[in-house]
Amino acid sequence: MMRSMTSFVMRGSLAALVALALTAVAPSAHAWGANGHRIVADLASRQLTPQTRAVVERLLHAEGAQSMSDIASWADELRDNPETRDLGKATGPLHYINFADDTCTYVPPRDCADGRCVVGGLEKYVAILGDARASDTDRAQALNFVVHFVGDAHQPLHGGYRDDKGGNDYQVQMDGKGSNLHRVWDSGMINTRNLKWQQYAQNLADDGPVTLPPPIAPLDNPYAQWAEESCRITRDGGVYPKGHVIDDAYVAAELPIADRRLREAGKRLADLLNRTLKN
Ligand SMILES: [Zn+2]
């Protein structure tokens, strides 16, 4: 490895080396970083009814997990494992949605053909999770997806309308380093607090119950509403920085929005599980 790295450095440009290094350490570009997903799961787990908690724990134990935070980013790691790579590829489009334009209006056949968007992903796996006739193995897998996709639907850049792969193609500077807007929202801003995820979740929980946004008429699909909210935030919320620079003022303005989305996701995940797991 060292030999090939050395020859690479000698042959390649610095830019190529930087690109290689970023590839080596970059988390999957699928959503909130692992910590964001853990925080959502932790907030939700605090709001489960005893009955729901018992079912969740049974399903988690069936796959050797202890908490929803343990499995919250499993769906982002599928492609890293040869045994689950095909499932990871097949479910890749279920982590996000691309809206057609800045009206941020969900039109199922156009925006979610064959259910291949985060709205369809939630519809599919919530149905399996709530099916008492399904095996615990299938329901545990569905729980993993549901915990993850509720988080994804609330990451604003998982529901954008711009042609930039949810900000992955939108380069920015943060602390003098190159990054992209998606990564800033996945983890860059969250990391500025320098907190372990457990403490981060505790602080958000200490803020008390979150007031959920009112329903968007005429939508009767909660998952579509969450995605539309994300789209509107990317449009109206100052998410795209002036001059492609993420500075202190940007973080001061946008991190509260990210925190609110984490809290909303936690509350909605809990409500969804409490509705779905009555058996
Ligand atoms: Zn994801």
Side-chain angles (χ1 to χ4, degrees), residues 30-31 37 76 95 148-149 152 158:
H30 275 314
H37 282 288
D76 272 344
H95 293 245
H148 185 86
F149 292 155
D152 278 352
H158 278 247

Side-chain angles (χ1 to χ4, degrees), residues 223-235:
Y223 319 134
Q225 159 143 356
W226 307 342
E228 284 198 4
E229 289 167 1
S230 285
C231 183
R232 293 174 186 203
I233 291 170
T234 70
R235 182 188 66 195

Side-chain angles (χ1 to χ4, degrees), residues 118-138:
V118 70
V119 177
L122 281 163
E123 289 170 340
K124 172 178 178 176
Y125 286 107
V126 169
I128 296 170
L129 179 61
D131 182 357
R133 293 163 305 173
S135 69
D136 272 8
T137 303
D138 287 347

